[in-house]
Amino acid sequence: MEKIKIMVVFGTRPEAIKMAPLVLELKRRDNIDCIVCTTGQHREMLDPIVKIFNLSIDYDLDIMEPRQTLSTITSKTLIGMEPVLKVAKPDMVLVHGDTSTAFTSALAAYYQKVPVGHVEAGLRTGNRYSPYPEEMNRRLISEIAQLHFSPTVSNAENLYNESISGEIFITGNTVIDALHTTVSKDFSFYTDALKNIDFDNNRVLLVTAHRRENYGKPLENIMNALKDLVCNYPDVRIIYPMHMSPEVRRTATDILGDMPRVELIDPINVDEMHNLMDRCHFILTDSGGLQEEAPALGKPVLVLRNETERPEAVTAGTVKVCGVEREAIYSAAAELLDSHDSYLSMANAVNPYGDGNACKRIADAILWHFGMGKRPENF
Ligand code: UD1
Ligand code: UDP
């Protein structure tokens, strides 16, 4: 049987989580030979995900350096991808989202004249420096890619408005496919800091933050707002799995290191994270992925940024953008803690980001592109 060779590339934690179910789906298709290449951009945060989803890696560029800069990630990936593409000779390269791994791998594929498919295409804030450098990365990938897999209608509209060439499919977000495999009511936590948490008698706030544009003063404001919250609400407990970025860890530890009822812990595995989201009271985050996952679990999210490229859950009422000022963050969180009605109005389980079938649609779309099947219906 004729087979097409599809190379999936990822390098960071969210790309791995969101590409894992797609790799598994592509491997289930008889007429696809799926190979996996990682840049290793997030060495420590990536490897556990590869293990949990049982992925096998065909090529590993292992580019990560301590305190790496955007230029080192970009140049090492570009140089590393060239021989891999020459040897593997894929019929198509799939990249995800807006990381430096994704942009540079797409560029490397273009240099070898290999077509690119873009998973999670069309997200925009309209602000070229926020998120930085992701807004520019994803715009540049849209120019390079021939197949665009947009999670939502509004993501696809962004691409139509920019007159992007190629085929656009509305697929849902693959993170919802991943979530369907991890969350379970009888899940047992195995990380020490999570094992003994009494979710019934504490209000557990889950926090993550890592965005480059929040480094410095905004991150200090976020940490100080969290400090104010634990000081004023004795039943509040904060769990903060810190990103490996030294900048983030230093600021968090300096301000929250000695606070009671604040757990500053290492990144946790995705199965623990998804189940922690399911059991916590609400979430404060600047992460993109958490804004997509939490609405599906009916958990309110306060976004620690000035804008979001994920407006769907804001419209649905489960996500609120509260900025990066200490007082604004505190009062948005206090409102959720003080008012049961405010809490209930945000705690709706809605699913604007997917139905768990995004990977099937993407695999079907790729086969359709190569003349091997029907075009999938949009999500
Ligand atoms: C990257 C992506 C961002 C994504 C985020 C997910 C870019 C430019 N940014 O940002 O879009 O939202 O990942 O988390 O691609 N580090 C470690 N160990 C690790 C991972 C990171 O030490 O396992 C360190 C790096 O060496 C670096 C810092 O953390 O000093 C930041 O990592 P980097 O990949 O440069 O960018 P992120 O902020 O993680
Ligand atoms: N996540 C995780 N462990 C953690 C923190 C986050 O598994 O300690 C997961 C989270 O559930 C989501 C993804 O990592 O699926 C989001 O990654 P991140 O916040 O690093 O990146 P972003 O989504 O902002 O690009």
Side-chain angles (χ1 to χ4, degrees), residues 287-348:
S287 158
L290 269 78
Q291 290 177 60
E292 294 153 349
E293 294 159 343
L297 299 169
K299 297 297 170 170
V301 179
L302 299 179
V303 176
L304 306 169
R305 294 172 55 186
N306 290 319
E307 71 278 283
T308 179
E309 56 286 270
R310 296 170 170 87
E312 297 84 358
V314 177
T315 307
T318 62
V319 167
K320 195 176 271 173
V321 178
C322 66
V324 286
E325 295 301 329
R326 181 173 180 169
E327 294 74 24
I329 297 165
Y330 179 84
S331 57
E335 165 85 18
L336 284 179
L337 291 166
D338 292 339
S339 160
H340 195 51
D341 287 347
S342 297
Y343 182 84
L344 285 183
S345 75
M346 284 187 79
N348 299 314

Side-chain angles (χ1 to χ4, degrees), residues 263-282:
E263 310 279 353
L264 298 180
I265 59 176
D266 281 338
I268 52 179
N269 283 339
V270 61
D271 53 346
E272 285 202 304
M273 186 63 178
H274 284 171
N275 284 284
L276 183 56
M277 289 172 77
D278 192 39
R279 292 187 203 172
C280 75
H281 192 52
F282 66 85

Side-chain angles (χ1 to χ4, degrees), residues 77-94:
T77 301
L78 197 56
I79 290 168
M81 283 303 290
E82 183 175 327
V84 168
L85 290 166
K86 281 184 169 157
V87 169
K89 293 190 179 22
D91 296 302
M92 174 169 279
V93 165
L94 297 182

Side-chain angles (χ1 to χ4, degrees), residues 63-353:
I63 64 150
M64 199 191 90
E65 290 177 9
R67 293 190 176 270
Q68 63 200 1
T69 65
L70 298 178
S71 307
T72 54
I73 304 170
T74 304
S75 50
K76 286 175 96 174
T77 301
L78 197 56
I79 290 168
M81 283 303 290
E82 183 175 327
V84 168
L85 290 166
K86 281 184 169 157
V87 169
K89 293 190 179 22
D91 296 302
M92 174 169 279
V93 165
L94 297 182
V95 301
H96 182 279
D98 50 22
T99 66
S100 293
T101 283
F103 161 58
T104 316
S105 308
L107 184 62
Y110 167 77
Y111 284 167
Q112 299 305 314
K113 299 193 174 152
V114 177
V116 171
H118 186 199
V119 181
E120 201 174 278
L123 280 69
R124 300 285 188 266
T125 59
N127 179 347
R128 59 168 51 210
Y129 289 111
S130 184
Y132 166 82
E134 290 80 8
E135 178 78 359
M136 191 53 65
N137 283 343
R138 58 198 175 205
R139 283 177 182 271
L140 296 170
I141 298 171
S142 296
E143 287 297 331
I144 294 171
Q146 276 108 318
L147 300 188
H148 312 267
F149 306 110
S150 287
T152 68
V153 175
S154 81
N155 301 151
E157 280 168 1
N158 289 336
L159 297 176
Y160 289 124
N161 291 339
E162 290 168 18
S163 304
I164 290 298
S165 62
E167 291 290 334
I168 299 170
F169 305 85
I170 303 168
T171 58
N173 197 307
T174 59
V175 80
I176 305 296
D177 300 27
L179 202 60
H180 282 193
T181 66
T182 48
V183 177
S184 140
K185 290 292 166 208
D186 47 16
F187 182 83
S188 300
F189 294 102
Y190 46 85
T191 292
D192 283 342
L194 305 177
K195 270 184 199 159
N196 299 318
I197 292 181
D198 179 354
F199 289 93
D200 295 327
N201 296 306
N202 289 284
R203 290 191 286 181
V204 173
L205 311 190
L206 172 60
V207 175
T208 78
H210 69 81
R211 303 232 74 87
R212 271 173 202 264
E213 69 274 11
N214 278 345
Y215 283 8
K217 188 71 184 150
L219 209 50
E220 285 170 25
N221 293 343
I222 293 168
M223 299 308 144
N224 278 313
L226 297 174
K227 190 175 177 175
D228 297 341
L229 285 167
V230 270
C231 288
N232 290 324
Y233 292 88
D235 68 330
V236 159
R237 190 159 175 172
I238 289 178
I239 314 265
Y240 180 178
M242 288 182 295
H243 191 285
M244 293 306 289
S245 165
E247 184 76 21
V248 171
R249 296 172 84 85
R250 189 183 44 76
T251 312
T253 313
D254 282 356
I255 298 173
L256 295 171
D258 295 329
M259 292 299 295
R261 290 176 284 112
V262 178
E263 310 279 353
L264 298 180
I265 59 176
D266 281 338
I268 52 179
N269 283 339
V270 61
D271 53 346
E272 285 202 304
M273 186 63 178
H274 284 171
N275 284 284
L276 183 56
M277 289 172 77
D278 192 39
R279 292 187 203 172
C280 75
H281 192 52
F282 66 85
I283 296 163
L284 300 104
T285 189
D286 68 6
S287 158
L290 269 78
Q291 290 177 60
E292 294 153 349
E293 294 159 343
L297 299 169
K299 297 297 170 170
V301 179
L302 299 179
V303 176
L304 306 169
R305 294 172 55 186
N306 290 319
E307 71 278 283
T308 179
E309 56 286 270
R310 296 170 170 87
E312 297 84 358
V314 177
T315 307
T318 62
V319 167
K320 195 176 271 173
V321 178
C322 66
V324 286
E325 295 301 329
R326 181 173 180 169
E327 294 74 24
I329 297 165
Y330 179 84
S331 57
E335 165 85 18
L336 284 179
L337 291 166
D338 292 339
S339 160
H340 195 51
D341 287 347
S342 297
Y343 182 84
L344 285 183
S345 75
M346 284 187 79
N348 299 314
V350 292
N351 226 334
Y353 296 112

